[in-house]
Amino acid sequence: MADITRRLGWRHLRGAPTAHIRHHRGGTLLHDGPGTSFWFRALTAALSEVPVDDRELAMTFHARTSDFQDVAVQATVTYRISDPALAAARLDFSIDPDTGVWRGAPLEQLGTLLTETAQQHALDVLARTPLSVALVDGVAAVRERVAAGLDAEPRLPATGIEVVAVRVMALRPEPEVERALRTPAREQIQQEADRATYERRAVAVERERAIAENELDSQIELARREEQLVDQRGTNARREAEEHAAADAVRAEAEATRSVRLARAEADGVRAVGDAKAQAQAAWLRVHAEVDVATLHALTGTRLAENLPHIDSVTISPDVLTGLLAKLGAREPE
């Protein structure tokens, strides 16, 4: 929009560098060009402002494929007005001399022209394409067909319009159809995920089995070694017992030999003592046999007195003394 200032019945217009200004007065072109600045009278001036910058036109429309499926097309057309004079002659770009606002809607007219032209070519190419192919290659096919159709459209050059670029962002079916199309892919993805899960579980089970087998082998090897250890311990115990038994046998034999020797020595000693005692007794008997009876009685009394305990006093009653004297008197005649 042009910047217009009012001063005492005059108007001053200052245009932007991207806006082409055309000023007519009385049918005569006085100012023509982008970024112009001038004074004018509102009652006699005819002004038009044509944008010459690149414009983006976003469009969304529906089409039908060859298998009667509705699809939504999202595209963007970049264009610019290459001939402002021709565009101002074909479309109403006039502005209000007081406010600088367009009196009409020229850009909407351009948008309608571009949208209908692009939609016509997109519908034409999609009508001969099945949905499955359109979803795979439809974006490129629609973009190329729309770009070619806009370049070949005679109304655009006649209006001073130049198409810079065409972009197709998306080509999508209806939500129900899209969900139906997604279902096999989702099922396949789920199957792949399940297969990966099963394979992962199988690998985990195989690893667990290998670990269990290793542990079992380790336990078997450990049991075998324990068995060998037990056998070795038994062998060692038997050997130790045999050695202890042999040592005990040697010790017992030595003890027996020593005991026999001691017994023999004791027996010899006892025998010698017995012989000596017997000889002494025999000699004692022989001596006593040769001694008379009175001497024996004296020796007997002496020996008896030696063996009697210590007696401080002895009381002999008359009866005992009479009996003893009687016995002595009776034995003397013998």
Side-chain angles (χ1 to χ4, degrees):
M1 185 178 66
D3 184 11
I4 296 179
T5 305
R6 290 185 285 183
R7 291 290 187 276
L8 301 176
W10 288 85
R11 305 288 187 271
H12 183 270
L13 184 145
R14 183 175 61 212
T18 58
H20 189 96
I21 304 297
R22 292 174 63 84
H23 175 209
H24 291 80
R25 187 178 61 188
T28 303
L29 181 61
L30 300 180
H31 300 92
D32 185 19
T36 58
S37 178
F38 54 88
W39 290 91
F40 65 93
R41 286 184 176 274
L43 296 177
T44 59
L47 303 174
S48 61
E49 182 182 13
V50 181
V52 293
D53 56 340
D54 290 348
R55 297 273 172 160
E56 301 284 342
L57 176 62
M59 58 186 70
T60 300
F61 54 88
H62 292 272
R64 180 168 293 183
T65 60
S66 61
D67 49 359
F68 306 101
Q69 298 296 325
D70 291 336
V71 292
V73 181
Q74 296 179 357
T76 299
V77 176
T78 303
Y79 70 95
R80 67 185 180 88
I81 300 175
S82 58
D83 191 344
L86 185 58
R90 298 294 298 271
L91 299 174
D92 185 11
F93 283 96
S94 62
I95 60 176
D96 190 306
D98 293 327
T99 61
V101 178
W102 279 317
R103 296 179 183 274
L107 295 182
E108 293 182 4
Q109 295 177 355
L110 282 178
T112 302
L113 174 61
L114 292 172
T115 300
E116 291 178 352
T117 304
Q119 184 175 356
Q120 177 184 355
H121 294 288
L123 293 176
D124 183 61
V125 69
L126 290 174
R128 295 192 297 270
T129 305
L131 179 62
S132 58
V133 178
L135 294 178
V136 176
D137 302 325
V139 172
V142 170
R143 182 179 64 250
E144 293 175 358
R145 183 61 181 272
V146 170
L150 291 176
D151 290 339
E153 178 62 34
R155 292 183 57 189
L156 297 180
T159 315
I161 307 300
E162 178 184 357
V163 177
V164 178
V166 176
R167 298 187 303 277
V168 178
M169 279 73 70
L171 196 153
R172 302 184 62 178
E174 292 183 345
E176 295 81 4
V177 177
E178 187 173 4
R179 284 194 295 269
L181 292 175
R182 288 178 177 178
T183 300
R186 288 182 177 179
E187 291 180 353
Q188 184 177 1
I189 294 173
Q190 186 63 39
Q191 291 176 0
E192 293 294 334
D194 294 340
R195 185 179 299 108
T197 302
Y198 296 151
E199 291 178 356
R200 185 168 58 254
R201 289 180 179 176
V203 171
V205 171
E206 183 65 22
R207 290 180 178 176
E208 290 179 357
R209 185 185 63 80
I211 293 173
E213 290 181 355
N214 292 334
E215 291 179 353
L216 182 60
D217 293 340
S218 300
Q219 293 178 359
I220 293 174
E221 181 65 20
L222 182 60
R224 186 179 63 81
R225 293 186 179 181
E226 288 181 353
E227 182 180 2
Q228 293 178 356
L229 181 60
V230 170
D231 293 341
Q232 187 64 37
R233 286 179 177 175
T235 303
N236 295 338
R238 287 193 299 272
R239 186 177 301 171
E240 186 177 359
E242 291 175 357
E243 291 179 356
H244 284 303
D248 292 339
V250 173
R251 190 181 302 106
E253 185 178 358
E255 290 290 336
T257 303
R258 189 173 64 82
S259 299
V260 170
R261 290 178 181 177
L262 290 176
R264 288 178 181 177
E266 290 179 357
D268 293 340
V270 170
R271 189 180 299 109
V273 172
D275 292 342
K277 287 182 178 180
Q279 292 176 4
Q281 188 68 25
W284 184 80
L285 290 175
R286 284 194 302 271
V287 170
H288 283 73
E290 295 175 356
V291 178
D292 55 1
V293 175
T295 304
L296 292 175
H297 286 168
L299 290 173
T300 302
T302 303
R303 191 67 62 85
L304 179 62
E306 290 177 356
N307 294 325
L308 288 175
H310 178 70
I311 301 174
D312 293 335
S313 62
V314 177
T315 301
I316 300 174
S317 64
D319 295 336
V320 177
L321 183 60
T322 300
L324 290 175
L325 293 176
K327 289 181 179 179
L328 290 175
R331 289 181 181 180
E332 288 181 357
E334 294 178 0

